[in-house]
Amino acid sequence: MYKFLFFCIYDNEKASISGDDYRHAIKVLRKKEGDQILCTNGNGIRMEATISKIEKNIALLEPLNTQKFPKREKRLHLAIAPTKNMSRIEFMLEKCIEIGLDEISFIKTKRTERPKLKLDRLQKIAISALKQSFQFRLPTINDLVPLESFIEQNHDGKKIIAHQKESAVHL
């Protein structure tokens, strides 16, 4: 039984971990060559691997057992206007990943208080939540776009929009 899930780069034959995952595995957990770890690439791959070589900032992996998790038929896509308090957006992102959301889009409305988002920070938080919840699919995180252009995009499936107007059509 594995206690930790690592985020790796995987291209059908070669796999490696680097960055924070490298530091956590090699420096903190003191993994050595020959030790086994569990990792994912965020695209539905669950891979048990052996650490084959440890270099300065990268650990090369030898895949042992690879399992592919296909995409679901029904996709969950959340569109939300970011709040002024960024910690609420980060918390929402973590919880959405834990329940298995497929895509998150940020929309800019006329009352949106945050004009820009740090997508690289949100991506790091998403990867962290993915590893913590042992999910194997990283959702797509879309940048901030105006509401009108988001609605014009061709999204498959049903659209449910929550808003406060009294004249709304009730479901």
Side-chain angles (χ1 to χ4, degrees), residues 114-148:
R114 182 168 290 279
K116 286 191 263 181
L117 291 172
K118 296 178 181 174
L119 283 181
D120 54 339
R121 176 165 170 71
L122 292 177
Q123 194 71 23
K124 285 182 182 179
I125 291 168
I127 289 171
S128 177
L130 175 95
K131 295 187 303 187
Q132 183 178 352
S133 60
F134 276 76
Q135 297 284 334
F136 302 107
R137 286 212 167 269
L138 190 64
T140 305
I141 301 174
N142 300 317
D143 202 2
L144 193 65
V145 295
L147 176 63
E148 295 78 21

Side-chain angles (χ1 to χ4, degrees), residues 65-124:
N65 184 9
T66 305
Q67 187 177 1
K68 175 84 171 161
F69 289 87
K71 289 183 179 181
R72 291 190 306 240
E73 277 186 40
K74 305 281 184 179
R75 293 185 40 86
L76 293 175
H77 184 171
L78 173 70
I80 186 167
T83 60
K84 188 175 185 179
N85 187 344
M86 196 59 188
S87 65
R88 290 184 181 192
I89 292 294
E90 293 169 358
F91 181 76
M92 182 260 334
L93 180 65
E94 289 175 6
K95 299 308 166 194
C96 286
I97 290 170
E98 288 173 7
I99 64 171
L101 205 71
D102 296 304
E103 188 171 0
I104 299 170
S105 295
F106 292 100
I107 53 175
K108 184 175 183 177
T109 64
K110 62 182 171 184
R111 299 187 195 262
T112 300
E113 296 178 337
R114 182 168 290 279
K116 286 191 263 181
L117 291 172
K118 296 178 181 174
L119 283 181
D120 54 339
R121 176 165 170 71
L122 292 177
Q123 194 71 23
K124 285 182 182 179

